[in-house]
Amino acid sequence: MSQATIHNLDPATGELIEEIPCATEAEVQAKVARARNAWPAWRGMDSGQRLDLLRAVLKRLEEEAPELGALLSREMGKPLSQAIGEVRGYAKHLAGELDEVALAIAPQIMPGSEDEVLLSREPHGVVAVITPWNFPVGMPAQILIPALGAGNTVVFKPSEHVPLTGAFLARLFQEHLPDGVLELLQGGGPVGAALVEEEVDMIAFVGSRATGIAIMRSAAGSLKRLVLELGGKDPLLVFADADLEAAAICATQNSLRNTGQVCCSVERVLVERSVAQRFEKLVLQEAGNWPFGDPQVKQTCMGPLVSESQRDNVVAHVADAREKGARIALGGELPKGSGWFYPATVIVDAPSDAKVIRDETFGPVVCLTCFDTEDEAVERANDTVYGLGANVWTGDPERGRRVSAGLRAGQVGVNRYLGGAPGTPWVGARQSGVGFLGGIEGHRQFTTPKTVATAPS
Ligand code: NAD
């Protein structure tokens, strides 16, 4: 494979943390073979025992949150307190989900027949788990728990931007699980591509739409099962009758959180024209509270972007918007000094063909445009290939229901940010995903239903 090592760089300084060898093709094959060999015993284990082992992993994850959070923060630039919060939050949340996994995979005797009809949920076999860097613990853990819990074995490839965090997480699983049940591969795109070409039974992937398309193509050759959680271009709609202060805080915080590097970031804010000026002032006030800084300092709320190329993408979006006539109301200038920092930026009135309106920016940018009618707002919100999340802010409950019904997204927040209740899945609608994760239906994607009907003796 083309790249021999990962240059693992600290995004706050640009300095080398460590050089890590990428897996060779032979290693990819060997790890898939080890996971395949471990599968029969893991699949045959009593499911309660399997889930207890995973419970022990999650307990360790919670205990290791300070150390793992510090490593995560150094590798990807997430502020330290948020990085520790990510580890603790997912450990707690997934411990709660284990009971749901148990329910999802429990066999059922089906009524309605004189025969005994047993519906069971069979694991697929070996699952390739390939994940991004923006939630380096949360994204893999939310797949590893249901995939392993259902009785699959896993070959896990973390993002090349967070290899040490990935290795730490893998070690916690490996310390509690039998040999071969979770295998780790390090490397970038070429290693991921080699893994999906191997004889794995399922690919569970979180990452960009472009990589999702490449994976789907490669999987077609042997009809591998897929779950793809991809990018988004989420709209947030603000009507004139909304609580403008609350809407401005929600829009700004969710454009800037994690330096804008969240799949369900607010990427486009559409505001009713009559309140646009007032709304912009409120956004500028809130965005002023988001200075960037050293992620290791306790008070920092926004760290650097993860890499130079990620920052180049943001710079290109801002330059393109400026060239096409948008007004930059805040930020928009590359800071001096080391690291891949970028200031909180507010862009106003970018035209519909601007990159910042069409493509995922994945940076600390609040992008404001105006609309005149409800129909126009919904049409423009849906004018994207993506369909991850969407938000509506209005004082009229009837309009809230009408508009949320018209928005083509997997999850919609009305007068609040996105979020469900326990048991609701996380869904990328349209080209934001294939399949989904979470909830009983999400956990079942790591299984195939099997019916055994036995005639009475
Ligand atoms: P990416 O697609 O560049 O990389 C994701 C992973 O895929 C990495 O591990 C990478 O090494 C690997 N990879 C790259 N090319 C590959 C190939 N050809 N075959 C197999 N694997 C390959 O994405 P990224 O930059 O790491 O992450 C950011 C993206 O992830 C954004 O688009 C974001 O919206 C998305 N994301 C989505 C969700 C969700 O729940 N929908 C959550 C987090 C992030």
Side-chain angles (χ1 to χ4, degrees), residues 112-443:
S113 167
E114 284 175 10
D115 300 336
E116 184 194 90
V117 178
L118 179 74
L119 176 65
S120 61
R121 311 270 168 185
E122 302 295 314
H124 297 304
V126 179
V127 181
V129 175
I130 302 177
T131 50
W133 44 264
N134 62 338
F135 289 89
V137 168
M139 292 302 110
Q142 65 163 355
I143 298 179
L144 294 173
I145 291 296
L148 293 166
N152 301 282
T153 55
V154 161
V155 181
F156 165 44
K157 193 202 83 62
S159 163
E160 59 274 36
H161 295 296
V162 285
L164 298 177
T165 306
F168 194 123
L169 181 67
R171 183 167 52 75
L172 294 184
F173 279 86
Q174 286 166 339
E175 280 174 8
H176 289 82
L177 307 184
D179 278 356
V181 168
L182 184 140
E183 291 289 328
L184 174 72
L185 282 175
Q186 296 285 15
V191 174
L195 174 59
V196 300
E197 280 292 322
E198 273 303 313
E199 291 202 9
V200 296
D201 302 283
M202 178 184 188
I203 302 154
F205 169 77
V206 184
S208 64
R209 175 177 168 271
T211 307
I213 290 171
I215 288 177
M216 200 171 196
R217 273 207 185 99
S218 154
S222 52
L223 292 170
K224 288 168 185 142
R225 266 62 184 159
L226 291 175
V227 169
L228 308 175
E229 292 280 7
L230 309 177
K233 193 68 194 167
D234 289 9
L236 182 146
L237 276 51
V238 185
F239 289 90
D241 57 7
D243 176 344
L244 294 187
E245 280 176 21
I249 289 172
C250 176
T252 311
Q253 289 184 346
N254 290 294
S255 298
L256 303 179
R257 180 166 76 96
N258 209 24
T259 324
Q261 303 166 119
V262 182
C263 56
C264 52
S265 273
V266 171
E267 290 247 336
R268 296 173 292 148
V269 185
L270 289 82
V271 189
E272 194 162 355
R273 193 174 303 279
S274 58
V275 293
Q277 275 189 3
R278 237 172 88 210
F279 191 79
E280 182 183 326
K281 270 198 193 123
L282 291 167
V283 164
L284 289 171
Q285 239 169 45
E286 176 60 22
N289 299 329
W290 284 75
F292 62 76
D294 182 347
Q296 303 295 318
V297 170
K298 204 169 168 218
Q299 295 77 9
T300 298
C301 63
M302 196 167 82
L305 288 143
V306 73
S307 65
E308 189 167 16
S309 69
Q310 193 57 44
R311 186 170 75 169
D312 287 348
N313 184 58
V314 178
V315 169
H317 277 215
V318 176
D320 173 74
R322 199 180 255 133
E323 268 164 37
K324 289 179 174 148
R327 177 164 53 87
I328 311 299
L330 183 74
E333 298 299 332
L334 206 56
K336 292 198 172 68
S338 59
W340 299 303
F341 292 95
Y342 197 80
T345 294
V346 177
I347 300 181
V348 184
D349 290 340
S352 58
D353 64 342
K355 287 181 201 280
V356 80
I357 299 291
R358 305 230 66 84
D359 305 330
E360 208 176 12
T361 304
F362 230 53
V365 172
V366 190
C367 175
L368 300 174
T369 59
C370 299
F371 66 83
D372 292 300
T373 66
E374 185 180 310
D375 285 351
E376 181 202 344
V378 173
E379 193 182 317
R380 289 209 354 239
N382 287 336
D383 185 16
T384 169
V385 296
Y386 293 108
L388 196 52
N391 271 254
V392 189
W393 286 80
T394 173
D396 174 356
E398 191 44 46
R399 193 204 323 253
R401 281 189 279 277
R402 204 168 51 235
V403 170
S404 57
L407 289 170
R408 299 184 65 194
Q411 33 275 312
V412 180
V414 181
N415 295 329
R416 53 158 292 173
Y417 188 57
L418 309 178
T424 43
W426 179 252
V427 179
R430 306 176 78 193
Q431 295 186 32
S432 284
V434 170
F436 49 86
L437 296 172
I440 285 188
E441 288 175 85
H443 303 327

